[in-house]
Amino acid sequence: ESHVSPRINLLWEPTERNALNLGWGYVYQSHRPYELDVQDGESSFFDAERARHLVLGYERRFDSGWSVRAEAYERSQRSVFMRQT
């Protein structure tokens, strides 16, 4: 299978100590050969799974050299293992 997986990452630093980042994109995962359940009568592979990823993060840097980072992450996935037609 051949898929395009567009991704974009943005970083904004409103000050030299603070940073906000946003990431978005699609990731495809093909059906692996060892996942074919031939014992259950399967003889063909499923379409690749597609997941959309979204990440929002904040980072704060301190004079001491330490930093703190927090991120929120969401993954949404289309129907898993849809048969090829």
Side-chain angles (χ1 to χ4, degrees):
E1 292 180 78
S2 176
H3 297 283
V4 175
S5 298
R7 298 176 194 170
I8 187 167
N9 290 293
L10 302 172
L11 177 65
W12 178 50
E13 295 181 339
T15 68
E16 67 180 46
R17 296 182 185 274
N18 297 291
L20 296 168
N21 69 303
L22 174 67
W24 171 90
Y26 284 106
V27 178
Y28 288 89
Q29 177 65 55
S30 297
H31 193 188
R32 296 167 207 88
Y34 63 84
E35 294 176 326
L36 186 63
D37 291 324
V38 288
Q39 70 275 12
D40 292 335
E42 290 184 6
S43 59
S44 61
F45 291 101
F46 294 101
D47 288 338
E49 299 171 9
R50 183 185 80 185
R52 179 182 56 91
H53 291 212
L54 181 62
V55 179
L56 178 61
Y58 170 75
E59 182 175 359
R60 170 73 176 163
R61 292 180 289 277
F62 299 99
D63 287 332
S64 63
W66 286 86
S67 64
V68 174
R69 184 177 186 173
E71 290 187 335
Y73 172 78
E74 177 187 69
R75 174 187 166 126
S76 58
Q77 192 167 331
R78 76 170 190 191
S79 298
V80 180
F81 296 134
M82 296 174 61
R83 277 271 176 229
Q84 293 179 352
T85 55

